[in-house]
Amino acid sequence: MNLNEFITKSKNRLLAYWYKATRQRIATDNNKVLFFTFQGKYTCNPKYICRRLHQLDPAVRCVWVVFHEEDRAGFPDYTETVLFNTEEYYRALYSAKVLVDNGLNFVKKPIAKKKGQYFIETMHGSLGIKRIDAASNPNKKRNQRGALCGELADYIISNSDFENEVYKSSFWEKTPVLLYGHARNDILINGRDDIPDGDLYDKVRSFYGLPHEAKLALYAPTFAREASKEFDEFDADLLRECLAGRFGGDWYILKRLHPRDARNRKVSSDSDYILDGNLYTDIQEMMVAIDFAVTDYSSWIFDYVVTKKPGMIYAPDLEEYQNSTGFYYPITATPFPLATDNSSVRDIIAGFNMDKYEEEVDLFLEDKGCVDDGKASERAAEMILNLLNDRLPKTE
């Protein structure tokens, strides 16, 4: 860290402490909601809650946190934006009546709540196998943030009995859980027309300049890890060949890096059929548009599962990952066929049995107690409208 970076970091930390200490001097706006995603974008659960909130009451002030000036352009006209870790951010933080987070974001810096403020945590995974408790993660700073979030959060939103237990066994043991379903999954339940500006199926294809009849597969792994040995890198060209052989059609593969990795590198390919999936901001919209899904351990596929469209897991470092991170349940207990190398990808797709797969999806969702029904955003938005008037939701 050079001197300028040290000075900037010190100033930012002092700014956080100053506003924390003087927060009571800032008047609360009983009509303001502040949204924050780990992507710093208009996405995930907060996006769909915000959209429904505006539909129910256009007078509500919807304010969003961004990390970069250029990100301000990616939001609807009815929203406002503030730049993280600046005075405008801290004024918004301590003047908002309700805070909506999708994963340990507000607690990146020292904060406290004012009396009468409400903090809602939505997280950004569903039914995922990766453990999130402090005992399974050696990142001390991350676990401190988790503990603070558990202390500050008034409510956390869940989509299943399984997720309830995940929250209670990690950072939110004492936080009331709202079993509403995940707002971001509403469009997966309601179908491809659930947007203000048209058909998602064609919206995504049009974005990439593809014809209506093009078939799409999404390959989106979790964040990159330092492997102790070489393993079989995923072959997107092979996937395309196999999908065409099994399902027919002209296939394009969207390769999408985890947001943490996308900050430092880009998807590159010499093939016209391998496309950069990070160019399209909203992965939920992509899930509506795609015809096949592949990941390793990323939780997005456990959102996608409610569509009952085909998918699989490609995990060449399964043993190593399981030993370092740990799972809540065996990866073989998911409905998704498991490949550990490219040759098994060919076999799995060639023999993909849709009837058997759909039966296993139903059993999986039933076993996890999933409640996603396409109405989660409405429940969350109505709850926020009530909180703006200090009417508290019923909790278990």
Side-chain angles (χ1 to χ4, degrees), residues 130-346:
K130 292 184 295 186
R131 299 191 68 89
I132 65 170
D133 54 289
S136 302
N137 194 312
N139 188 322
K140 185 177 179 180
K141 288 185 177 179
R142 174 260 187 190
N143 291 333
Q144 288 173 340
R145 287 166 52 198
L148 180 57
C149 184
E151 178 185 330
L152 294 178
D154 294 285
Y155 306 101
I156 187 165
I157 295 178
S158 166
N159 83 327
S160 60
D161 296 333
F162 164 78
E163 203 165 73
N164 294 355
E165 294 304 313
V166 169
Y167 292 155
K168 293 298 183 184
S169 64
S170 52
F171 302 114
W172 298 276
E173 180 181 359
K174 298 179 180 179
T175 305
V177 177
L178 302 175
L179 191 60
Y180 285 176
H182 286 314
R184 66 175 181 271
N185 288 348
D186 286 354
I187 62 171
L188 305 182
I189 301 290
N190 296 333
R192 65 196 212 186
D193 296 316
D194 188 23
I195 58 168
D197 52 348
D199 188 327
L200 285 171
Y201 184 90
D202 283 328
K203 180 183 176 187
V204 174
R205 281 161 176 76
S206 177
F207 180 87
Y208 285 99
L210 303 178
H212 173 84
E213 62 273 13
K215 297 289 186 179
L216 288 177
L218 174 62
Y219 170 60
T222 191
F223 58 88
R225 301 164 304 285
E226 292 293 332
S228 60
K229 58 184 179 180
E230 291 293 324
F231 58 81
D232 200 12
E233 185 174 352
F234 184 72
D235 189 338
D237 290 302
L238 173 65
L239 175 67
R240 178 175 179 268
E241 174 191 326
C242 294
L243 289 173
R246 169 63 180 84
F247 298 105
D250 196 15
W251 285 81
Y252 292 80
I253 312 301
L254 297 164
K255 291 182 68 174
R256 185 181 178 95
L257 303 176
H258 187 277
R260 275 168 49 175
D261 298 317
R263 296 173 196 149
N264 303 314
R265 59 191 178 96
K266 301 293 182 183
V267 171
S268 60
S269 173
D270 295 330
S271 171
D272 293 336
Y273 295 94
I274 313 300
L275 308 174
D276 186 351
N278 291 95
L279 296 177
Y280 197 92
T281 303
D282 193 328
I283 193 172
Q284 305 301 122
E285 292 188 0
M286 294 179 80
M287 280 188 254
V288 177
I290 64 172
D291 304 287
F292 197 87
V294 186
T295 190
D296 47 8
Y297 319 105
S298 183
S299 61
W300 69 266
I301 204 167
F302 296 99
D303 286 352
Y304 174 84
V305 70
V306 301
T307 70
K308 298 185 182 180
K309 293 188 293 185
M312 64 178 291
I313 290 173
Y314 179 78
D317 60 340
L318 175 59
E319 183 177 354
E320 181 180 335
Y321 191 86
Q322 183 168 301
N323 291 337
S324 64
T325 301
F327 298 141
Y328 284 108
Y329 51 89
I331 200 168
T332 51
T334 77
F336 306 111
L338 170 65
T340 55
D341 55 37
N342 283 300
S343 62
S344 53
V345 169
R346 186 184 296 276

Side-chain angles (χ1 to χ4, degrees), residues 1-159:
M1 182 186 301
N2 61 40
L3 181 59
N4 287 336
E5 290 174 334
F6 175 78
I7 292 173
T8 299
K9 187 175 182 179
S10 299
K11 284 182 177 179
N12 289 342
R13 191 163 184 82
L14 286 172
L15 195 65
Y17 277 115
W18 168 257
Y19 274 94
K20 179 181 177 182
T22 62
R23 64 189 183 278
Q24 300 297 348
R25 301 178 188 175
I26 301 173
T28 301
D29 183 341
N30 291 324
N31 205 39
K32 181 190 290 187
V33 182
L34 183 62
F35 297 89
F36 199 170
T37 67
F38 77 87
Q39 300 94 332
K41 309 283 188 181
Y42 183 64
T43 190
C44 198
N45 286 312
K47 167 184 174 175
Y48 292 95
I49 295 172
C50 176
R51 195 179 78 181
R52 184 67 68 184
L53 186 61
H54 178 70
Q55 291 170 348
L56 294 177
D57 187 350
V60 173
R61 292 182 63 191
C62 297
V63 185
W64 281 75
V65 184
V66 299
F67 292 122
H68 308 285
E69 282 289 343
E70 57 267 28
D71 293 334
R72 294 183 191 264
F75 290 82
D77 292 341
Y78 61 81
T79 63
E80 307 168 41
T81 57
V82 293
L83 190 62
F84 178 61
N85 211 24
T86 62
E87 290 200 42
E88 67 170 353
Y89 164 73
Y90 288 107
R91 286 194 294 270
L93 174 65
Y94 291 118
S95 63
K97 180 75 171 181
V98 177
L99 309 176
V100 181
D101 194 325
N102 84 332
L104 313 185
N105 299 306
F106 288 112
V107 292
K108 289 176 182 289
K109 300 295 179 183
I111 71 163
K113 281 189 307 182
K114 291 165 52 180
K115 184 178 180 180
Q117 278 190 308
Y118 300 99
F119 186 137
I120 302 166
E121 180 60 72
T122 74
M123 292 301 288
H124 54 271
S126 296
L127 311 174
I129 58 175
K130 292 184 295 186
R131 299 191 68 89
I132 65 170
D133 54 289
S136 302
N137 194 312
N139 188 322
K140 185 177 179 180
K141 288 185 177 179
R142 174 260 187 190
N143 291 333
Q144 288 173 340
R145 287 166 52 198
L148 180 57
C149 184
E151 178 185 330
L152 294 178
D154 294 285
Y155 306 101
I156 187 165
I157 295 178
S158 166
N159 83 327

